[in-house]
Amino acid sequence: MFDYFRKEIEWAGRPLILETGKIARQADGAVMVTYGDTVVLCTAVGAKSVNPGQDFFPLTVNYQEKAYAAGKIPGGFFKREGRPSEAEVLTARLIDRPIRPLFPDNFRNEVQITATVLSHDMENDPALVSMIGCSAALTLSGIPFFGPIAAARIGLIDGELVVNPSLADVKNSSLDLMVAGTSEGVLMVESEASELSEELMLEAVTLGHTSFQAVIDAIIDLAEHAAKAPWDLPAPSKEEIALRKRIDKVGNKLIAEAYKERVKQARYQKVAEAKAKINELLEEEGHDLALAKPLLKELEAHVVRGSILKTGQRIDGRDLKTVRPILSEVGILPRAHGSSLFTRGETQALVVATLGTGQDEQVIDALEGEYRSNFMLHYNFPPYSVGECGRMGSPGRREIGHGKLAWRALHPLLPTKEQFPYTMRVVSEITESNGSSSMATVCGSSLALMDAGVPLPRPVAGIAMGLIKEERGFAVLSDILGDEDHLGDMDFKVAGTSEGVTALQMDIKITSITPEIMKIALEQAREGRIHILGEMAKALTEGRSDVSNNAPKITTLNIPKEKIRDVIGSGGKVIREIVEFSGAKVDINDDGVITIAASNDEQAQKAISRIEGIVAEPEIGRIYDGKVVKAADFGAFVNFLGPRDGLVHISELAQGRVAKTTDVVKQGDAVKVKVVGFDDRGKVKLSMRVVDQQTGADITESVGSKPARPPRRDAE
């Protein structure tokens, strides 16, 4: 019934299994990948024809995590999976980035790739498994694809690079790097690092590329048995060949002249005018303008790339290494907890940092379980930032991806909760864009956090590198423009401090790059990063000594775990009373750490005093303020330390003999008492007679010791 094939290899100490022919047989390609007990179904489907007038390649990658994969039922009212989570969006982008460059330039058929997580063992990363599975599905499908690719995850644990560490080990790793590529070279890198050297980062990338060669071989073996017949790619028509030559002849000079303009918007206008002239001429000659559109894009790339390689001068007049002028400003918004404006050439980020309490932490419901995050970074890219009209709505995949990259760059430098008990939210509003707004976000976010009083050990900066690679040579470009990104071969972003790299992201638009190019790019990026840090230092070099007056004042207390119940009270009664009495927010965790957030010192001190009164133990010889809660024949019960009561025996109420308790005190009276001991059951013994009720002074010596009672006579 099934035309079933299976390939199994041992990889990084665990079996990797690729299966096809049994599930999802109507897809062009379908592969079930198992690594440990993590199982992902990956499918690839391509449209058999091109939509009329379509001049781009419509590739869609979907990654979906099913709750049943972890033995869970989804939350919410509908109890089913909803819109993709941020983690699912990021994984879909991770799969897309190394695959997209490997389709033919003239391929325009719609392709949809879907990865569905069916089982998750909480040890092996389903994102890594999905990348391998999607590559295998495409390789089997017959769809034109210059693969296969594979991927590996690299960690640094106890000073040793580790291939495919478990998810638990990743938490203790000073490096989390994902690398993907072909047998020839690397296509994609995504990483977070704890200020590691460029040499170590390159070593990790090389190790990853070497380690996944066995996976590529396994996919090829599977394809030899199960691959479908390859699709035929239409050869360029005679009209297209002739039109390319004609466009090159009539348009080369016009496009080259337009790109001499240094200012972005003016350059765009001149390029548009040049294209209009070319199209007008082609239309007069009877050529198909729809066919001419992609050929004009090719001409643009040829002109710009050739000029850079020939002259070493770029679109805006810079050489290969120069970073555009930078202006850094902080504290620009009066009510924000921290703010900055970072401008680099025609790219600008307005970044705002807000400090909150533990109640503001983001609760994330993942397959691995629910957890909380006290650091959020959100990136917004409005259409006005590039001088366009456009839709304003919820963040797209690109905005989520850019925000996460900046998050990774800053995360290794953030203080622990114990060092800085705030929840931190950073929002980057891109107000201008012409190249690497994500790296501007890194720089602006670092400044905004320091302006808010977050104790970063060092500022963080980022730079985007580009590449022009032709048969006659290559050029690595520092601080690339938007046009250089679109027309170039590489987008290589490096963020870090003066001490080392904290995040690295690389996307290649050609089949691969050499280690030599990567080494040059990393070194050139380090030089650029140090320069940018110097420009940022003109605004701020370290976190302010205190948080903004507009931010909540947070104090932490540690109490014994057995006292947590006393502070919370039955049904939360006590902690609600503390909040109402003080006006402060009070959070308490299972370890006995209490966080008090208040708008001023008075509110904080009220809450602290109440809590200390609840958890403190009475000390013998110490005098406390108290309140009589009950008067009895043998003495008075006094509440003196939070919820704690003690007994003032009738003989300890006042100097001299007291006939009745109510002769001295009544219920509700405020009194001053001294702890004089504990009875056999641990109950507190109090005294009023040795305390001056007006001043609270200890008068033990003036009163003298209590007269001894006569010995009791036994009955005869």
Side-chain angles (χ1 to χ4, degrees), residues 58-263:
L59 171 66
T60 304
V61 177
N62 297 300
Y63 170 84
Q64 49 190 7
E65 295 178 340
K66 298 298 184 180
Y68 57 71
K72 296 168 62 176
I73 295 175
F77 182 79
F78 296 104
K79 297 297 179 185
R80 68 177 299 163
E81 290 80 7
R83 60 179 294 179
S85 67
E86 183 176 291
E88 288 173 307
V89 169
L90 292 169
T91 301
R93 282 174 55 87
L94 205 64
I95 298 168
D96 181 297
R97 284 158 48 196
I99 285 174
R100 187 176 291 270
L102 297 180
F103 289 90
D105 291 338
N106 61 340
F107 187 63
R108 299 288 183 268
N109 300 54
E110 182 178 0
V111 174
Q112 184 178 43
I113 298 167
T114 304
T116 307
V117 181
L118 305 179
S119 176
H120 188 11
D121 61 8
M122 307 300 162
E123 293 184 9
N124 295 290
D125 183 8
L128 172 64
V129 178
S130 298
M131 293 177 76
I132 294 168
C134 291
S135 167
L138 274 171
T139 303
L140 300 186
S141 68
I143 297 170
F145 175 64
F146 301 139
I149 68 153
R153 194 172 189 175
I154 306 297
L156 182 64
I157 301 171
D158 297 329
E160 295 291 330
L161 292 172
V162 179
V163 178
N164 297 347
S166 69
L167 294 179
D169 288 337
V170 168
K171 295 177 182 178
N172 302 316
S173 174
S174 53
L175 171 66
D176 184 10
L177 181 142
M178 188 80 80
V179 55
T182 63
S183 58
E184 296 177 358
V186 173
L187 285 168
M188 186 277 297
V189 178
E190 184 80 31
S191 67
E192 178 183 333
S194 299
E195 297 183 284
L196 301 180
S197 68
E198 283 77 7
E199 292 78 13
L200 186 55
M201 296 297 290
L202 183 56
E203 184 181 347
V205 172
T206 304
L207 174 63
H209 180 252
T210 302
S211 70
F212 62 60
Q213 296 307 310
V215 179
I216 290 177
D217 292 340
I219 294 173
I220 293 172
D221 286 347
L222 189 72
E224 288 176 352
H225 291 89
K228 295 181 179 177
W231 295 13
D232 292 327
L233 274 175
S237 64
K238 292 182 179 180
E239 181 184 3
E240 181 180 339
I241 295 172
L243 184 56
R244 178 178 280 107
K245 291 180 179 179
R246 183 61 179 154
I247 287 175
D248 185 60
K249 183 176 181 179
V250 301
N252 198 303
K253 186 176 180 180
L254 288 171
I255 295 294
E257 189 65 29
Y259 268 99
K260 289 180 181 179
E261 174 60 53
R262 303 302 189 210
V263 180

Side-chain angles (χ1 to χ4, degrees), residues 430-508:
I430 302 304
T431 50
E432 281 188 67
S433 181
N434 184 16
S436 195
S437 54
S438 63
M439 294 297 96
T441 294
V442 171
C443 302
S445 297
S446 176
L447 291 169
L449 286 169
M450 291 192 295
D451 185 49
V454 179
L456 297 180
R458 284 168 292 280
V460 186
I463 186 170
M465 312 297 295
L467 173 70
I468 305 295
K469 184 172 181 286
E470 300 284 356
E471 289 184 3
R472 64 180 182 270
F474 67 88
V476 176
L477 316 178
S478 295
D479 181 25
I480 56 174
L481 302 172
D483 287 332
E484 291 169 341
D485 184 7
H486 300 148
L487 303 176
D489 297 320
M490 176 179 74
D491 184 8
F492 192 8
K493 297 176 177 129
V494 186
T497 68
S498 57
E499 301 298 312
V501 176
T502 57
L504 189 155
Q505 184 185 86
M506 182 178 74
D507 293 304
I508 305 299

